[in-house]
Amino acid sequence: MASAHDIMQRMREVQAAREKAFEPLAEILGQRAELQRQLEALDAPYAEAFAAAEAAGWTAEELKGIGAEEPAKRPSRRQRSKRAAAKKAATETTSADSSTDSPAAAVPTQNGAAGLETAAAGSTTG
């Protein structure tokens, strides 16, 4: 029967062989992670370039036919923030409340005739 020392020695040999077999995989995993990071860094510029090509008249199908894959994520369009939209709505509500009850006050004037229309709308006795 083998001694504890012999068993431990055999276990270390097996473990060393396993570690040696893992070394190429560890190296490739590191390279792969770096390449994935580089690819992710190109996602946004690629999506913007694809959108620019479409804006210039290319269709997505034409670009695919040439070999340009459609980007996974489209570039985000700048949308007005909720805060700005709420502020604009509040401003519109305030300006509507401050106007007179006359429907003529809500109608925009043309050609600088504001004084005439306001005077006409304000005087009911003529």
Side-chain angles (χ1 to χ4, degrees), residues 79-91:
Q79 295 179 352
R80 195 174 350 164
S81 69
K82 291 179 183 178
R83 185 178 214 175
K87 187 175 181 180
K88 182 177 180 185
T91 303

Side-chain angles (χ1 to χ4, degrees), residues 41-106:
L42 289 175
D43 282 347
Y46 180 78
E48 290 173 7
F50 194 93
E54 285 180 313
W58 290 91
T59 67
E61 291 302 317
E62 290 172 326
L63 293 169
K64 288 179 198 174
I66 295 171
E69 295 179 17
E70 191 163 354
K73 293 181 181 179
R74 291 292 191 150
S76 60
R77 295 193 173 147
R78 291 186 178 182
Q79 295 179 352
R80 195 174 350 164
S81 69
K82 291 179 183 178
R83 185 178 214 175
K87 187 175 181 180
K88 182 177 180 185
T91 303
E92 289 173 354
T93 303
T94 304
S95 65
D97 291 343
S98 66
S99 66
T100 64
D101 291 336
S102 169

